[in-house]
Amino acid sequence: MPEEPPAGPDVAEVVFRPPSGSGKKLSRRFMKTDSIKVLYDYIRTLDVADVGFDDRNANFQLFQPMPRKVFEESDTVTLQQAGLFPRAIVQIKEITE
């Protein structure tokens, strides 16, 4: 997991909304050239209570609700390519299937 970069012109600020419905938001900065996979890796470093999962190994998905856009875990798509730069709000959905 890369270090959190300081604010700057090439830095994306991403706010994550956990599925718990608590209204809690988690915010972190990433480089615009980081891949979507880095977002997934970041969520995996968080405490399960922060993201509202029952299990640390839970499967999850990152998405934006309107218009609905799912961000698949990918090493090849950057935050800028995905439209998450310069800032974005992303929801976390636990997959229980």
Side-chain angles (χ1 to χ4, degrees), residues 1-2 5 10-16 28-40 42 62 64 69 71-72 74-88 90:
M1 185 76 227
D10 294 326
V11 176
E13 182 178 349
V14 181
V15 176
F16 298 92
R28 190 181 190 281
R29 292 181 304 273
F30 301 89
M31 296 303 298
K32 70 179 182 182
T33 55
D34 284 342
S35 70
I36 295 293
K37 184 178 184 320
V38 172
L39 301 183
Y40 279 82
Y42 169 68
L62 301 176
Q64 287 179 322
K69 184 173 184 180
F71 301 102
E72 300 293 337
S74 170
D75 274 334
T76 58
V77 178
T78 68
L79 301 185
Q80 185 173 24
Q81 291 168 329
L84 299 174
F85 172 79
R87 62 181 52 89
V90 175

Side-chain angles (χ1 to χ4, degrees), residues 44 48 53-60 94-95:
R44 290 184 183 106
V48 292
F53 296 166
D54 292 329
D55 177 4
R56 173 163 289 292
N57 298 313
N59 290 320
F60 63 95
E94 185 173 10
I95 300 172

